[in-house]
Amino acid sequence: MSNKSATSSATVSVPEPIDHSVELGHGNSPAAWTCVTVMLVGTIVGCVAFLIGESATLLFWIGVGIIAVGLIVGIAMKSAGYGVGGNKLKNTGH
């Protein structure tokens, strides 16, 4: 082992403090829940196909397709106003 110091002439940057007062939302919306649920079904289909073996290659790709459909459904629902802060989720007092 060497007795040399591990210090170098490089400067170390200190990260900015995180502002915890900002509400993140965490995607808690019908669009997010629908997207994740459909993608979870696609993942389960793909995992079952993986466990079955080589004869289930088509089933695996169907699972991948379901995952893609879930992403498209989530984006479509968000643009339709069902995302975080969407106009369909506002309380109008009725």
Side-chain angles (χ1 to χ4, degrees), residues 7-8 15 47 54 59 73 75 79 87 93:
T7 60
S8 67
C47 289
E54 286 185 31
L59 186 62
V73 166
I75 293 170
S79 66
N87 60 355

Side-chain angles (χ1 to χ4, degrees), residues 40-68:
L40 181 62
V41 170
T43 302
I44 291 170
V45 169
C47 289
V48 168
F50 183 77
L51 291 174
I52 291 173
E54 286 185 31
S55 62
T57 304
L58 178 63
L59 186 62
F60 171 78
W61 286 110
I62 290 172
V64 171
I66 293 172
I67 293 171

Side-chain angles (χ1 to χ4, degrees), residues 1-93:
M1 288 238 218
S2 173
N3 289 334
K4 292 184 179 180
S5 167
T7 60
S8 67
S9 62
T11 59
V12 177
S13 63
V14 178
E16 295 290 324
I18 299 173
D19 183 11
H20 292 284
S21 65
V22 177
E23 179 63 35
L24 298 177
H26 298 289
N28 193 9
S29 68
W33 281 100
T34 304
C35 176
V36 170
T37 302
V38 173
M39 292 174 87
L40 181 62
V41 170
T43 302
I44 291 170
V45 169
C47 289
V48 168
F50 183 77
L51 291 174
I52 291 173
E54 286 185 31
S55 62
T57 304
L58 178 63
L59 186 62
F60 171 78
W61 286 110
I62 290 172
V64 171
I66 293 172
I67 293 171
V69 167
L71 182 62
I72 293 168
V73 166
I75 293 170
M77 286 184 71
K78 180 181 177 188
S79 66
Y82 290 102
V84 173
N87 60 355
K88 302 284 182 164
L89 302 179
K90 301 289 183 194
N91 186 1
T92 60

